[in-house]
Amino acid sequence: MHTEKMDSLIQIMGILNVTPDSFSDGGSFDTTDRALTQALKMVADGASIIDVGGESTRPGAADVSLQEELDRVIPVIQKIKNETDIVVSVDTSKAIVIKEALIAGADIVNDVRALQEPDALEVCAEFNTAVCLMHMQGQPRSMQNAPHYKEVVKEVAAFFEQRIKACVEAGIHREKIILDPGFGFGKTLEHNLQLLAHLESFQSFGLPVLVGISRKKMIGELLNGAPVGQRLMGSLSAAVIASMKGSAIIRVHDVKETVEVIKIVQGVKSYE
Ligand code: 7PM
């Protein structure tokens, strides 16, 4: 008789960008409807979480105003939650957007600033929501200028330790926390590769690890400067590596393809 291990399933988080670069100019019925259509497609393709984001965190990007971000993401979250029972995460840092998103039905707060903005911790504690704490060195505008670490893996782990403590002190239950090393956020290619190579070390927290590498510059850099449209195979390879190293959630643009490769990982993992 074989011994099949029942490990928890690796989940695919589909990226839904509600930004002017993705769907015209946010807020309009047309924009909300197109976002819903995209979300439904990702669900049909096997995503179990939809990550709705309205703030461009691209290196060097301009800040998005509060009202603009609300207008972009809130109608989309309402519509997805009205028409499906999919888990929704909101990619934001602002306490007011967090609160409105949670009222609209969002299930997870995915914050690239790890709840360090004013009142963010308090709102999450009040709503007893799940949170994803991402590591970033610096701010989106300037983070890629000169990333520097003595030991990136240790420094990211120390950051997790400190933010988990801040969350728990604010009243967020430890079991509601997801950790994310923040690929590309204030990191060189070497830093990103060191993090990916040692991803399993973050399992020591006993919390789910989320990884977002899909189409990122680190993939392009390893592929002789391949543009975003030619990073699918690289992104899938990174997803396989991350999930073999214990990641619970893989955040991606290409849901269908990622679901397919992760099925192979899941098959192997059941015999680990
Ligand atoms: C431009 C550049 C647009 C970079 C968008 C991005 C992550 C995230 C993002 C991640 C978590 C992207 C990023 N990346 N949230 N939000 N983890 N938790 O490539 O790695 O999607 S935005």
Side-chain angles (χ1 to χ4, degrees), residues 14-16 23 33-50 80 84 86 215 253-257 259:
I15 300 170
L16 185 60
F23 303 101
D33 221 47
R34 285 166 68 191
L36 177 70
T37 301
Q38 169 99 35
L40 292 174
K41 184 179 186 302
M42 292 196 286
V43 174
D45 287 344
S48 51
I49 307 169
I50 302 297
I80 296 172
T84 74
I86 192 79
R215 300 184 185 174
H253 302 86
D254 303 289
V255 172
K256 190 170 189 286
E257 293 84 351
V259 166

Side-chain angles (χ1 to χ4, degrees), residues 54-106:
E55 184 201 26
S56 184
T57 40
R58 179 171 296 125
D63 286 345
V64 173
S65 79
L66 170 63
Q67 194 56 51
E68 200 174 338
E69 202 184 331
L70 286 169
D71 291 346
R72 287 177 187 176
V73 302
I74 304 304
V76 172
I77 294 168
Q78 282 170 340
K79 194 143 192 169
I80 296 172
K81 292 308 290 190
N82 276 340
E83 308 206 9
T84 74
D85 45 32
I86 192 79
V87 172
V88 168
S89 66
V90 58
D91 194 337
T92 191
S93 300
K94 299 185 182 82
I96 295 173
V97 180
I98 293 174
K99 183 162 187 167
E100 293 303 319
L102 292 170
I103 291 169

